[in-house]
Amino acid sequence: MDSLLATTTHNVSSMPPWPLFVLASVLFILGIYVLYRWAKSYALTLKAMGDFSPVSPNWAYLLFVPGFNMVWMIFLMVYVRNGLKKMHDAGKLSKKEDGDFIFGLLIIPCWIIGNKFGWFALPALSIAAFVFWILSWIKLVEARKAIL
């Protein structure tokens, strides 16, 4: 019986590569679309701020530049926060808003620490960064809606 088991062969067919390619393509396109919507949300907020915006709304689309986007995100958060503060002081907001400043700033340490400590910390910190990103996006939309 042992010799029979040892000589038995199995035909294992490999999975064709096209489903993985389709999945990767769909995820890539979805990621680009979400990044576009996020940048557009910043652009709409900067446009709604009018004269209180220190930069052109089109500058929000610099979030598409790889590597630079993490640095530019900090600048955009500061610009939006400062513009909203000026608007609040001028009575142009229905309630005090800071945009997405705190949640947005929490995204960056999650990525830095996750990349520093390797694969065992990256999944948990990536999920945390994703949650902070969604919360910052929600706060940004709320801030835009508070503009009178």
Side-chain angles (χ1 to χ4, degrees):
M1 190 68 146
D2 289 332
S3 64
L4 180 62
L5 291 175
T7 58
T8 304
T9 60
H10 300 282
N11 292 333
V12 179
S13 61
S14 63
M15 184 174 155
W18 67 266
L20 292 176
F21 176 75
V22 169
L23 178 64
S25 299
V26 167
L27 290 176
F28 178 76
I29 291 168
L30 181 65
I32 294 295
Y33 177 73
V34 170
L35 180 61
Y36 165 74
R37 296 291 301 187
W38 185 45
K40 185 176 180 181
S41 186
Y42 266 108
L44 290 173
T45 303
L46 291 169
K47 185 177 180 180
M49 291 168 58
D51 293 336
F52 294 96
S53 174
V55 294
S56 167
N58 293 331
W59 286 24
Y61 296 104
L62 286 175
L63 288 170
F64 276 101
V65 179
F68 178 69
N69 59 358
M70 290 303 277
V71 175
W72 186 241
M73 184 178 73
I74 295 170
F75 283 101
L76 277 178
M77 289 185 298
V78 170
Y79 291 151
V80 168
R81 184 193 64 176
N82 292 343
L84 289 172
K85 184 178 183 312
K86 289 177 186 175
M87 290 184 81
H88 181 265
D89 294 342
K92 302 280 186 180
L93 288 179
S94 60
K95 61 181 179 175
K96 187 169 181 163
E97 287 283 349
D98 69 344
D100 64 339
F101 193 68
I102 297 299
F103 291 124
L105 285 182
L106 290 173
I107 296 169
I108 297 163
C110 289
W111 284 113
I112 292 171
I113 294 169
N115 287 324
K116 177 73 173 162
F117 290 109
W119 63 269
F120 57 90
L122 191 58
L125 290 171
S126 294
I127 292 169
F130 181 73
V131 169
F132 290 139
W133 178 58
I134 296 298
L135 290 173
S136 73
W137 198 347
I138 291 169
K139 290 289 288 177
L140 185 66
V141 171
E142 287 176 2
R144 186 173 66 241
K145 288 180 180 177
I147 296 174
L148 298 175

